[in-house]
């Protein structure tokens, strides 16, 4: 159990320093390495049986589309995957081992300014600032999704599996880090 002082330090240390520390902890301790692997990696995607495969149209399709499985098995047979990923669609973290066609609810359109919204009735761009997407979180009623005309805070109108955002990087401080 970390002491209160260590907990405080963990909460206030930069992400990149914690990442390099975690690598060193893995080097220093086989038990820590096993724990981190268990937490952060998921079992490999198993290859589809080829010769005896029967496509059963009565069941729902697995979230792994055939093309994903083919490319994965060609290049990464037996390789474990990152377990927790960010979703390209809903922008939330998800567990790749618990991802199916109903896991992700999102809007598949674009967020747009709703010029008819009463939010903008008394808005003077000269003193309140330009009306653009930067205001969408603060004034959700002033924006609508092109897919369903619902406001920014509405629940997603489309459902599907989460999709791994390969470009996602956790926020790291741009500031120079003390070595
Ligand atoms: Zn929508
Ligand atoms: Zn999602």
């Amino acid at each position: 159990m970390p002491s209160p002082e260590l907990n405080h330090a963990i909460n206030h240390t930069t992400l990149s320093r914690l990442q390099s520390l975690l690598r060193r902890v893995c080097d220093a301790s086989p038990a820590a390495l096993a724990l981190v692997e268990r937490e952060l990696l998921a079992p490999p995607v198993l290859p589809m049986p080829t010769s005896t495969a029967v496509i059963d149209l009565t069941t729902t399709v697995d979230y792994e589309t055939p093309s994903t499985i083919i490319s994965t098995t060609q290049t990464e047979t037996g390789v474990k995957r990152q377990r927790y990923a960010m979703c390209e669609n809903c922008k939330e973290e998800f567990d790749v081992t618990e991802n199916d066609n109903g896991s992700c609810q999102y809007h598949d359109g674009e967020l747009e300014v709703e010029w008819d919204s009463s939010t903008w009735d008394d808005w003077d761009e000269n003193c309140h600032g330009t009306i653009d997407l930067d205001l969408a979180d603060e004034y959700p009623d002033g924006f609508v999704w092109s897919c369903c005309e619902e406001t920014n805070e509405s629940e997603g109108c489309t459902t599907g599996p989460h999709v791994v955002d390969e470009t996602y990087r956790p926020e790291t401080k741009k500031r120079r880090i003390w070595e």
Side-chain angles (χ1 to χ4, degrees):
M1 268 280 255
S3 63
E5 295 75 21
L6 183 55
N7 259 329
H8 177 92
I10 291 171
N11 289 340
H12 293 83
T13 298
T14 60
L15 179 62
S16 54
R17 183 165 294 279
L18 291 176
Q19 288 173 329
S20 75
L21 176 61
L22 190 58
R23 289 187 189 96
R24 275 162 52 204
V25 168
C26 289
D27 281 345
S29 155
L33 176 64
L35 176 80
V36 173
E37 284 205 342
R38 238 183 4 254
E39 283 296 314
L40 297 187
L41 296 180
V45 179
L46 295 174
M48 290 239 289
T50 46
S51 54
T52 57
V54 175
I55 297 169
D56 181 1
L57 295 174
T58 60
T59 58
T60 49
V61 178
D62 192 69
Y63 73 91
E64 298 283 357
T65 60
S67 65
T68 316
I69 289 172
I70 288 160
S71 69
T72 306
T73 55
Q74 276 170 351
T75 56
E76 294 178 352
T77 306
V79 176
K80 289 185 172 184
R81 302 169 289 159
Q82 175 185 346
R83 176 155 184 196
Y84 299 99
M86 285 298 279
C87 174
E88 226 175 69
N89 293 325
C90 66
K91 318 289 181 205
E92 282 176 21
E93 187 192 48
F94 69 101
D95 181 342
V96 302
T97 66
E98 289 174 19
N99 187 22
D100 61 36
N101 281 329
S103 297
C104 184
Q105 219 179 344
Y106 65 102
H107 292 283
D108 63 353
E110 302 287 330
L111 191 61
E112 294 165 344
V113 177
E114 169 65 319
W115 295 105
D116 294 337
S117 163
S118 58
T119 306
W120 313 122
D121 283 355
D122 299 315
W123 192 279
D124 178 354
E125 286 196 304
N126 291 320
C127 65
H128 297 110
T130 311
I131 296 174
D132 60 24
L133 292 178
D134 290 344
L135 298 169
D137 287 335
E138 209 175 333
Y139 302 97
D141 291 340
F143 297 84
V144 290
W145 287 95
S146 63
C147 39
C148 56
E149 302 292 317
E150 295 290 335
T151 64
N152 187 28
E153 273 188 333
S154 63
E155 289 211 338
C157 60
T158 304
T159 304
H162 294 293
V163 176
V164 176
D165 180 356
E166 299 289 356
T167 65
Y168 171 76
R169 296 287 180 278
E171 267 179 61
T172 46
K173 281 248 160 63
K174 291 281 180 282
R175 215 179 301 160
R176 184 177 173 278
I177 288 169
W178 189 258
E179 295 295 348

PDB file of all heavy atoms in Angstrom, residues 105-115 117 133 136 139-158:
ATOM      1  N   GLN A 105     -22.238   3.723 -28.507  1.00  0.00           N
ATOM      2  CA  GLN A 105     -23.330   4.571 -28.963  1.00  0.00           C
ATOM      3  C   GLN A 105     -22.725   5.921 -29.326  1.00  0.00           C
ATOM      4  O   GLN A 105     -22.062   6.540 -28.498  1.00  0.00           O
ATOM      5  CB  GLN A 105     -24.350   4.733 -27.848  1.00  0.00           C
ATOM      6  CG  GLN A 105     -25.767   4.709 -28.354  1.00  0.00           C
ATOM      7  CD  GLN A 105     -26.773   4.858 -27.228  1.00  0.00           C
ATOM      8  OE1 GLN A 105     -26.454   4.701 -26.061  1.00  0.00           O
ATOM      9  NE2 GLN A 105     -27.986   5.178 -27.596  1.00  0.00           N
ATOM     10  N   TYR A 106     -22.890   6.350 -30.553  1.00  0.00           N
ATOM     11  CA  TYR A 106     -22.210   7.570 -30.990  1.00  0.00           C
ATOM     12  C   TYR A 106     -23.011   8.240 -32.105  1.00  0.00           C
ATOM     13  O   TYR A 106     -23.991   7.666 -32.609  1.00  0.00           O
ATOM     14  CB  TYR A 106     -20.796   7.238 -31.478  1.00  0.00           C
ATOM     15  CG  TYR A 106     -20.755   6.376 -32.718  1.00  0.00           C
ATOM     16  CD1 TYR A 106     -20.483   6.931 -33.963  1.00  0.00           C
ATOM     17  CD2 TYR A 106     -21.012   5.015 -32.649  1.00  0.00           C
ATOM     18  CE1 TYR A 106     -20.454   6.148 -35.109  1.00  0.00           C
ATOM     19  CE2 TYR A 106     -20.990   4.226 -33.790  1.00  0.00           C
ATOM     20  CZ  TYR A 106     -20.705   4.797 -35.019  1.00  0.00           C
ATOM     21  OH  TYR A 106     -20.689   4.020 -36.142  1.00  0.00           O
ATOM     22  N   HIS A 107     -22.602   9.445 -32.460  1.00  0.00           N
ATOM     23  CA  HIS A 107     -23.184  10.136 -33.610  1.00  0.00           C
ATOM     24  C   HIS A 107     -22.246   9.947 -34.790  1.00  0.00           C
ATOM     25  O   HIS A 107     -21.042  10.176 -34.656  1.00  0.00           O
ATOM     26  CB  HIS A 107     -23.344  11.631 -33.325  1.00  0.00           C
ATOM     27  CG  HIS A 107     -24.370  11.930 -32.280  1.00  0.00           C
ATOM     28  ND1 HIS A 107     -25.726  11.897 -32.533  1.00  0.00           N
ATOM     29  CD2 HIS A 107     -24.244  12.255 -30.976  1.00  0.00           C
ATOM     30  CE1 HIS A 107     -26.387  12.208 -31.423  1.00  0.00           C
ATOM     31  NE2 HIS A 107     -25.501  12.427 -30.455  1.00  0.00           N
ATOM     32  N   ASP A 108     -22.754   9.549 -35.951  1.00  0.00           N
ATOM     33  CA  ASP A 108     -21.844   9.362 -37.080  1.00  0.00           C
ATOM     34  C   ASP A 108     -21.845  10.562 -38.027  1.00  0.00           C
ATOM     35  O   ASP A 108     -21.289  10.499 -39.111  1.00  0.00           O
ATOM     36  CB  ASP A 108     -22.124   8.048 -37.825  1.00  0.00           C
ATOM     37  CG  ASP A 108     -23.515   8.019 -38.439  1.00  0.00           C
ATOM     38  OD1 ASP A 108     -24.294   8.960 -38.171  1.00  0.00           O
ATOM     39  OD2 ASP A 108     -23.819   7.057 -39.164  1.00  0.00           O
ATOM     40  N   GLY A 109     -22.479  11.666 -37.582  1.00  0.00           N
ATOM     41  CA  GLY A 109     -22.455  12.871 -38.405  1.00  0.00           C
ATOM     42  C   GLY A 109     -21.472  13.890 -37.864  1.00  0.00           C
ATOM     43  O   GLY A 109     -20.574  13.564 -37.101  1.00  0.00           O
ATOM     44  N   GLU A 110     -21.664  15.138 -38.279  1.00  0.00           N
ATOM     45  CA  GLU A 110     -20.795  16.225 -37.823  1.00  0.00           C
ATOM     46  C   GLU A 110     -21.581  17.096 -36.849  1.00  0.00           C
ATOM     47  O   GLU A 110     -22.778  17.301 -37.022  1.00  0.00           O
ATOM     48  CB  GLU A 110     -20.382  17.100 -39.016  1.00  0.00           C
ATOM     49  CG  GLU A 110     -19.664  16.365 -40.128  1.00  0.00           C
ATOM     50  CD  GLU A 110     -18.244  15.987 -39.738  1.00  0.00           C
ATOM     51  OE1 GLU A 110     -17.652  16.738 -38.934  1.00  0.00           O
ATOM     52  OE2 GLU A 110     -17.763  14.956 -40.214  1.00  0.00           O
ATOM     53  N   LEU A 111     -20.875  17.651 -35.873  1.00  0.00           N
ATOM     54  CA  LEU A 111     -21.495  18.611 -34.971  1.00  0.00           C
ATOM     55  C   LEU A 111     -21.477  19.984 -35.646  1.00  0.00           C
ATOM     56  O   LEU A 111     -20.442  20.412 -36.150  1.00  0.00           O
ATOM     57  CB  LEU A 111     -20.714  18.641 -33.658  1.00  0.00           C
ATOM     58  CG  LEU A 111     -21.372  19.388 -32.500  1.00  0.00           C
ATOM     59  CD1 LEU A 111     -22.714  18.766 -32.136  1.00  0.00           C
ATOM     60  CD2 LEU A 111     -20.452  19.407 -31.295  1.00  0.00           C
ATOM     61  N   GLU A 112     -22.642  20.626 -35.675  1.00  0.00           N
ATOM     62  CA  GLU A 112     -22.746  21.900 -36.378  1.00  0.00           C
ATOM     63  C   GLU A 112     -23.416  22.948 -35.495  1.00  0.00           C
ATOM     64  O   GLU A 112     -24.186  22.614 -34.600  1.00  0.00           O
ATOM     65  CB  GLU A 112     -23.586  21.714 -37.656  1.00  0.00           C
ATOM     66  CG  GLU A 112     -22.906  20.819 -38.685  1.00  0.00           C
ATOM     67  CD  GLU A 112     -23.851  20.347 -39.778  1.00  0.00           C
ATOM     68  OE1 GLU A 112     -25.089  20.449 -39.597  1.00  0.00           O
ATOM     69  OE2 GLU A 112     -23.348  19.853 -40.803  1.00  0.00           O
ATOM     70  N   VAL A 113     -23.143  24.213 -35.798  1.00  0.00           N
ATOM     71  CA  VAL A 113     -23.795  25.301 -35.065  1.00  0.00           C
ATOM     72  C   VAL A 113     -25.272  25.318 -35.427  1.00  0.00           C
ATOM     73  O   VAL A 113     -25.636  25.228 -36.605  1.00  0.00           O
ATOM     74  CB  VAL A 113     -23.163  26.672 -35.434  1.00  0.00           C
ATOM     75  CG1 VAL A 113     -23.909  27.802 -34.723  1.00  0.00           C
ATOM     76  CG2 VAL A 113     -21.684  26.696 -35.075  1.00  0.00           C
ATOM     77  N   GLU A 114     -26.124  25.397 -34.415  1.00  0.00           N
ATOM     78  CA  GLU A 114     -27.561  25.532 -34.647  1.00  0.00           C
ATOM     79  C   GLU A 114     -27.898  27.020 -34.538  1.00  0.00           C
ATOM     80  O   GLU A 114     -28.110  27.552 -33.440  1.00  0.00           O
ATOM     81  CB  GLU A 114     -28.327  24.700 -33.601  1.00  0.00           C
ATOM     82  CG  GLU A 114     -29.821  24.941 -33.548  1.00  0.00           C
ATOM     83  CD  GLU A 114     -30.562  24.537 -34.814  1.00  0.00           C
ATOM     84  OE1 GLU A 114     -30.059  24.787 -35.928  1.00  0.00           O
ATOM     85  OE2 GLU A 114     -31.651  23.979 -34.670  1.00  0.00           O
ATOM     86  N   TRP A 115     -27.911  27.688 -35.691  1.00  0.00           N
ATOM     87  CA  TRP A 115     -28.061  29.144 -35.665  1.00  0.00           C
ATOM     88  C   TRP A 115     -29.426  29.575 -35.139  1.00  0.00           C
ATOM     89  O   TRP A 115     -29.582  30.683 -34.629  1.00  0.00           O
ATOM     90  CB  TRP A 115     -27.817  29.740 -37.064  1.00  0.00           C
ATOM     91  CG  TRP A 115     -26.398  29.533 -37.507  1.00  0.00           C
ATOM     92  CD1 TRP A 115     -25.951  28.639 -38.435  1.00  0.00           C
ATOM     93  CD2 TRP A 115     -25.221  30.203 -37.011  1.00  0.00           C
ATOM     94  NE1 TRP A 115     -24.572  28.698 -38.544  1.00  0.00           N
ATOM     95  CE2 TRP A 115     -24.111  29.660 -37.685  1.00  0.00           C
ATOM     96  CE3 TRP A 115     -24.999  31.204 -36.055  1.00  0.00           C
ATOM     97  CZ2 TRP A 115     -22.798  30.081 -37.442  1.00  0.00           C
ATOM     98  CZ3 TRP A 115     -23.701  31.635 -35.817  1.00  0.00           C
ATOM     99  CH2 TRP A 115     -22.617  31.075 -36.504  1.00  0.00           C
ATOM    100  N   SER A 117     -30.928  28.334 -32.611  1.00  0.00           N
ATOM    101  CA  SER A 117     -31.040  28.077 -31.177  1.00  0.00           C
ATOM    102  C   SER A 117     -31.142  29.386 -30.398  1.00  0.00           C
ATOM    103  O   SER A 117     -30.478  30.375 -30.716  1.00  0.00           O
ATOM    104  CB  SER A 117     -29.816  27.288 -30.708  1.00  0.00           C
ATOM    105  OG  SER A 117     -29.697  27.357 -29.309  1.00  0.00           O
ATOM    106  N   LEU A 133     -17.073  25.622 -32.841  1.00  0.00           N
ATOM    107  CA  LEU A 133     -17.196  24.354 -32.115  1.00  0.00           C
ATOM    108  C   LEU A 133     -16.509  24.363 -30.745  1.00  0.00           C
ATOM    109  O   LEU A 133     -16.801  23.506 -29.904  1.00  0.00           O
ATOM    110  CB  LEU A 133     -16.652  23.199 -32.968  1.00  0.00           C
ATOM    111  CG  LEU A 133     -17.472  22.860 -34.215  1.00  0.00           C
ATOM    112  CD1 LEU A 133     -16.824  21.734 -34.999  1.00  0.00           C
ATOM    113  CD2 LEU A 133     -18.912  22.472 -33.842  1.00  0.00           C
ATOM    114  N   ALA A 136     -18.946  24.203 -27.942  1.00  0.00           N
ATOM    115  CA  ALA A 136     -19.938  23.118 -27.938  1.00  0.00           C
ATOM    116  C   ALA A 136     -20.125  22.466 -26.568  1.00  0.00           C
ATOM    117  O   ALA A 136     -21.239  22.067 -26.216  1.00  0.00           O
ATOM    118  CB  ALA A 136     -19.552  22.062 -28.977  1.00  0.00           C
ATOM    119  N   TYR A 139     -21.967  25.230 -24.313  1.00  0.00           N
ATOM    120  CA  TYR A 139     -23.338  25.547 -24.750  1.00  0.00           C
ATOM    121  C   TYR A 139     -23.883  24.426 -25.641  1.00  0.00           C
ATOM    122  O   TYR A 139     -24.091  24.621 -26.836  1.00  0.00           O
ATOM    123  CB  TYR A 139     -23.349  26.888 -25.510  1.00  0.00           C
ATOM    124  CG  TYR A 139     -22.812  28.035 -24.693  1.00  0.00           C
ATOM    125  CD1 TYR A 139     -21.488  28.455 -24.831  1.00  0.00           C
ATOM    126  CD2 TYR A 139     -23.627  28.684 -23.762  1.00  0.00           C
ATOM    127  CE1 TYR A 139     -20.980  29.500 -24.060  1.00  0.00           C
ATOM    128  CE2 TYR A 139     -23.135  29.725 -22.991  1.00  0.00           C
ATOM    129  CZ  TYR A 139     -21.804  30.135 -23.139  1.00  0.00           C
ATOM    130  OH  TYR A 139     -21.315  31.165 -22.381  1.00  0.00           O
ATOM    131  N   PRO A 140     -24.134  23.252 -25.056  1.00  0.00           N
ATOM    132  CA  PRO A 140     -24.534  22.105 -25.878  1.00  0.00           C
ATOM    133  C   PRO A 140     -25.810  22.341 -26.689  1.00  0.00           C
ATOM    134  O   PRO A 140     -25.965  21.785 -27.782  1.00  0.00           O
ATOM    135  CB  PRO A 140     -24.727  20.975 -24.859  1.00  0.00           C
ATOM    136  CG  PRO A 140     -24.832  21.632 -23.531  1.00  0.00           C
ATOM    137  CD  PRO A 140     -24.065  22.910 -23.621  1.00  0.00           C
ATOM    138  N   ASP A 141     -26.718  23.185 -26.166  1.00  0.00           N
ATOM    139  CA  ASP A 141     -27.969  23.414 -26.892  1.00  0.00           C
ATOM    140  C   ASP A 141     -27.783  24.260 -28.149  1.00  0.00           C
ATOM    141  O   ASP A 141     -28.685  24.354 -28.976  1.00  0.00           O
ATOM    142  CB  ASP A 141     -28.996  24.103 -25.979  1.00  0.00           C
ATOM    143  CG  ASP A 141     -29.459  23.160 -24.881  1.00  0.00           C
ATOM    144  OD1 ASP A 141     -29.293  21.931 -25.053  1.00  0.00           O
ATOM    145  OD2 ASP A 141     -29.973  23.653 -23.854  1.00  0.00           O
ATOM    146  N   GLY A 142     -26.629  24.890 -28.280  1.00  0.00           N
ATOM    147  CA  GLY A 142     -26.384  25.733 -29.451  1.00  0.00           C
ATOM    148  C   GLY A 142     -25.798  24.965 -30.624  1.00  0.00           C
ATOM    149  O   GLY A 142     -25.472  25.568 -31.654  1.00  0.00           O
ATOM    150  N   PHE A 143     -25.696  23.634 -30.470  1.00  0.00           N
ATOM    151  CA  PHE A 143     -25.089  22.830 -31.525  1.00  0.00           C
ATOM    152  C   PHE A 143     -25.938  21.583 -31.772  1.00  0.00           C
ATOM    153  O   PHE A 143     -26.500  21.027 -30.834  1.00  0.00           O
ATOM    154  CB  PHE A 143     -23.670  22.416 -31.124  1.00  0.00           C
ATOM    155  CG  PHE A 143     -22.755  23.593 -30.946  1.00  0.00           C
ATOM    156  CD1 PHE A 143     -22.734  24.294 -29.740  1.00  0.00           C
ATOM    157  CD2 PHE A 143     -21.946  24.027 -31.981  1.00  0.00           C
ATOM    158  CE1 PHE A 143     -21.915  25.400 -29.569  1.00  0.00           C
ATOM    159  CE2 PHE A 143     -21.117  25.134 -31.826  1.00  0.00           C
ATOM    160  CZ  PHE A 143     -21.107  25.820 -30.618  1.00  0.00           C
ATOM    161  N   VAL A 144     -26.026  21.157 -33.026  1.00  0.00           N
ATOM    162  CA  VAL A 144     -26.758  19.921 -33.331  1.00  0.00           C
ATOM    163  C   VAL A 144     -25.904  19.002 -34.190  1.00  0.00           C
ATOM    164  O   VAL A 144     -24.992  19.440 -34.896  1.00  0.00           O
ATOM    165  CB  VAL A 144     -28.090  20.192 -34.078  1.00  0.00           C
ATOM    166  CG1 VAL A 144     -29.105  20.862 -33.159  1.00  0.00           C
ATOM    167  CG2 VAL A 144     -27.867  20.979 -35.345  1.00  0.00           C
ATOM    168  N   TRP A 145     -26.217  17.724 -34.099  1.00  0.00           N
ATOM    169  CA  TRP A 145     -25.539  16.720 -34.920  1.00  0.00           C
ATOM    170  C   TRP A 145     -26.236  16.607 -36.266  1.00  0.00           C
ATOM    171  O   TRP A 145     -27.464  16.536 -36.333  1.00  0.00           O
ATOM    172  CB  TRP A 145     -25.565  15.367 -34.199  1.00  0.00           C
ATOM    173  CG  TRP A 145     -24.628  15.336 -33.038  1.00  0.00           C
ATOM    174  CD1 TRP A 145     -24.921  15.589 -31.730  1.00  0.00           C
ATOM    175  CD2 TRP A 145     -23.226  15.075 -33.088  1.00  0.00           C
ATOM    176  NE1 TRP A 145     -23.797  15.501 -30.964  1.00  0.00           N
ATOM    177  CE2 TRP A 145     -22.743  15.188 -31.766  1.00  0.00           C
ATOM    178  CE3 TRP A 145     -22.328  14.757 -34.107  1.00  0.00           C
ATOM    179  CZ2 TRP A 145     -21.396  14.985 -31.442  1.00  0.00           C
ATOM    180  CZ3 TRP A 145     -20.989  14.562 -33.781  1.00  0.00           C
ATOM    181  CH2 TRP A 145     -20.540  14.672 -32.473  1.00  0.00           C
ATOM    182  N   SER A 146     -25.449  16.562 -37.345  1.00  0.00           N
ATOM    183  CA  SER A 146     -26.030  16.510 -38.690  1.00  0.00           C
ATOM    184  C   SER A 146     -26.763  15.195 -38.941  1.00  0.00           C
ATOM    185  O   SER A 146     -27.673  15.119 -39.759  1.00  0.00           O
ATOM    186  CB  SER A 146     -24.935  16.696 -39.748  1.00  0.00           C
ATOM    187  OG  SER A 146     -23.997  15.637 -39.674  1.00  0.00           O
ATOM    188  N   CYS A 147     -26.394  14.138 -38.198  1.00  0.00           N
ATOM    189  CA  CYS A 147     -27.010  12.829 -38.432  1.00  0.00           C
ATOM    190  C   CYS A 147     -28.444  12.759 -37.926  1.00  0.00           C
ATOM    191  O   CYS A 147     -29.262  12.026 -38.476  1.00  0.00           O
ATOM    192  CB  CYS A 147     -26.163  11.736 -37.774  1.00  0.00           C
ATOM    193  SG  CYS A 147     -25.479  12.186 -36.165  1.00  0.00           S
ATOM    194  N   CYS A 148     -28.765  13.495 -36.856  1.00  0.00           N
ATOM    195  CA  CYS A 148     -30.077  13.305 -36.241  1.00  0.00           C
ATOM    196  C   CYS A 148     -30.712  14.618 -35.783  1.00  0.00           C
ATOM    197  O   CYS A 148     -31.813  14.608 -35.239  1.00  0.00           O
ATOM    198  CB  CYS A 148     -29.951  12.361 -35.053  1.00  0.00           C
ATOM    199  SG  CYS A 148     -28.738  12.945 -33.843  1.00  0.00           S
ATOM    200  N   GLU A 149     -30.008  15.748 -35.979  1.00  0.00           N
ATOM    201  CA  GLU A 149     -30.523  17.062 -35.570  1.00  0.00           C
ATOM    202  C   GLU A 149     -30.728  17.161 -34.068  1.00  0.00           C
ATOM    203  O   GLU A 149     -31.445  18.031 -33.589  1.00  0.00           O
ATOM    204  CB  GLU A 149     -31.851  17.390 -36.294  1.00  0.00           C
ATOM    205  CG  GLU A 149     -31.761  17.382 -37.805  1.00  0.00           C
ATOM    206  CD  GLU A 149     -30.903  18.516 -38.359  1.00  0.00           C
ATOM    207  OE1 GLU A 149     -31.025  19.648 -37.879  1.00  0.00           O
ATOM    208  OE2 GLU A 149     -30.090  18.229 -39.268  1.00  0.00           O
ATOM    209  N   GLU A 150     -30.093  16.284 -33.303  1.00  0.00           N
ATOM    210  CA  GLU A 150     -30.197  16.368 -31.841  1.00  0.00           C
ATOM    211  C   GLU A 150     -29.062  17.251 -31.315  1.00  0.00           C
ATOM    212  O   GLU A 150     -28.045  17.436 -31.975  1.00  0.00           O
ATOM    213  CB  GLU A 150     -30.087  14.970 -31.221  1.00  0.00           C
ATOM    214  CG  GLU A 150     -31.230  14.029 -31.581  1.00  0.00           C
ATOM    215  CD  GLU A 150     -32.550  14.420 -30.936  1.00  0.00           C
ATOM    216  OE1 GLU A 150     -32.526  15.087 -29.890  1.00  0.00           O
ATOM    217  OE2 GLU A 150     -33.605  14.066 -31.492  1.00  0.00           O
ATOM    218  N   THR A 151     -29.246  17.780 -30.079  1.00  0.00           N
ATOM    219  CA  THR A 151     -28.235  18.679 -29.526  1.00  0.00           C
ATOM    220  C   THR A 151     -26.981  17.912 -29.108  1.00  0.00           C
ATOM    221  O   THR A 151     -26.974  16.690 -29.037  1.00  0.00           O
ATOM    222  CB  THR A 151     -28.767  19.444 -28.294  1.00  0.00           C
ATOM    223  OG1 THR A 151     -29.045  18.490 -27.271  1.00  0.00           O
ATOM    224  CG2 THR A 151     -30.004  20.231 -28.638  1.00  0.00           C
ATOM    225  N   ASN A 152     -25.943  18.685 -28.789  1.00  0.00           N
ATOM    226  CA  ASN A 152     -24.638  18.090 -28.482  1.00  0.00           C
ATOM    227  C   ASN A 152     -24.675  17.126 -27.317  1.00  0.00           C
ATOM    228  O   ASN A 152     -23.861  16.207 -27.244  1.00  0.00           O
ATOM    229  CB  ASN A 152     -23.623  19.211 -28.215  1.00  0.00           C
ATOM    230  CG  ASN A 152     -22.220  18.670 -28.069  1.00  0.00           C
ATOM    231  OD1 ASN A 152     -21.900  17.642 -28.643  1.00  0.00           O
ATOM    232  ND2 ASN A 152     -21.387  19.353 -27.312  1.00  0.00           N
ATOM    233  N   GLU A 153     -25.590  17.324 -26.372  1.00  0.00           N
ATOM    234  CA  GLU A 153     -25.592  16.452 -25.197  1.00  0.00           C
ATOM    235  C   GLU A 153     -26.439  15.193 -25.378  1.00  0.00           C
ATOM    236  O   GLU A 153     -26.504  14.361 -24.490  1.00  0.00           O
ATOM    237  CB  GLU A 153     -26.086  17.234 -23.968  1.00  0.00           C
ATOM    238  CG  GLU A 153     -24.947  17.953 -23.274  1.00  0.00           C
ATOM    239  CD  GLU A 153     -25.352  18.584 -21.963  1.00  0.00           C
ATOM    240  OE1 GLU A 153     -26.544  18.925 -21.823  1.00  0.00           O
ATOM    241  OE2 GLU A 153     -24.482  18.756 -21.105  1.00  0.00           O
ATOM    242  N   SER A 154     -27.067  15.055 -26.535  1.00  0.00           N
ATOM    243  CA  SER A 154     -27.954  13.906 -26.725  1.00  0.00           C
ATOM    244  C   SER A 154     -27.144  12.618 -26.841  1.00  0.00           C
ATOM    245  O   SER A 154     -25.976  12.628 -27.224  1.00  0.00           O
ATOM    246  CB  SER A 154     -28.761  14.094 -28.005  1.00  0.00           C
ATOM    247  OG  SER A 154     -27.876  14.127 -29.108  1.00  0.00           O
ATOM    248  N   GLU A 155     -27.800  11.507 -26.519  1.00  0.00           N
ATOM    249  CA  GLU A 155     -27.144  10.209 -26.657  1.00  0.00           C
ATOM    250  C   GLU A 155     -26.923   9.896 -28.124  1.00  0.00           C
ATOM    251  O   GLU A 155     -27.694  10.320 -28.979  1.00  0.00           O
ATOM    252  CB  GLU A 155     -28.038   9.124 -26.056  1.00  0.00           C
ATOM    253  CG  GLU A 155     -28.102   9.195 -24.552  1.00  0.00           C
ATOM    254  CD  GLU A 155     -28.298   7.830 -23.933  1.00  0.00           C
ATOM    255  OE1 GLU A 155     -28.791   6.925 -24.638  1.00  0.00           O
ATOM    256  OE2 GLU A 155     -27.965   7.684 -22.746  1.00  0.00           O
ATOM    257  N   GLY A 156     -25.874   9.147 -28.414  1.00  0.00           N
ATOM    258  CA  GLY A 156     -25.565   8.804 -29.794  1.00  0.00           C
ATOM    259  C   GLY A 156     -26.735   8.146 -30.503  1.00  0.00           C
ATOM    260  O   GLY A 156     -27.476   7.387 -29.902  1.00  0.00           O
ATOM    261  N   CYS A 157     -26.907   8.445 -31.792  1.00  0.00           N
ATOM    262  CA  CYS A 157     -28.041   7.899 -32.545  1.00  0.00           C
ATOM    263  C   CYS A 157     -27.656   6.615 -33.272  1.00  0.00           C
ATOM    264  O   CYS A 157     -28.490   5.971 -33.884  1.00  0.00           O
ATOM    265  CB  CYS A 157     -28.562   8.941 -33.525  1.00  0.00           C
ATOM    266  SG  CYS A 157     -27.334   9.485 -34.718  1.00  0.00           S
ATOM    267  N   THR A 158     -26.398   6.250 -33.237  1.00  0.00           N
ATOM    268  CA  THR A 158     -25.915   5.059 -33.935  1.00  0.00           C
ATOM    269  C   THR A 158     -25.272   4.116 -32.925  1.00  0.00           C
ATOM    270  O   THR A 158     -24.626   4.565 -31.990  1.00  0.00           O
ATOM    271  CB  THR A 158     -24.867   5.452 -34.994  1.00  0.00           C
ATOM    272  OG1 THR A 158     -25.450   6.404 -35.864  1.00  0.00           O
ATOM    273  CG2 THR A 158     -24.394   4.255 -35.801  1.00  0.00           C
TER     274      THR A 158
END
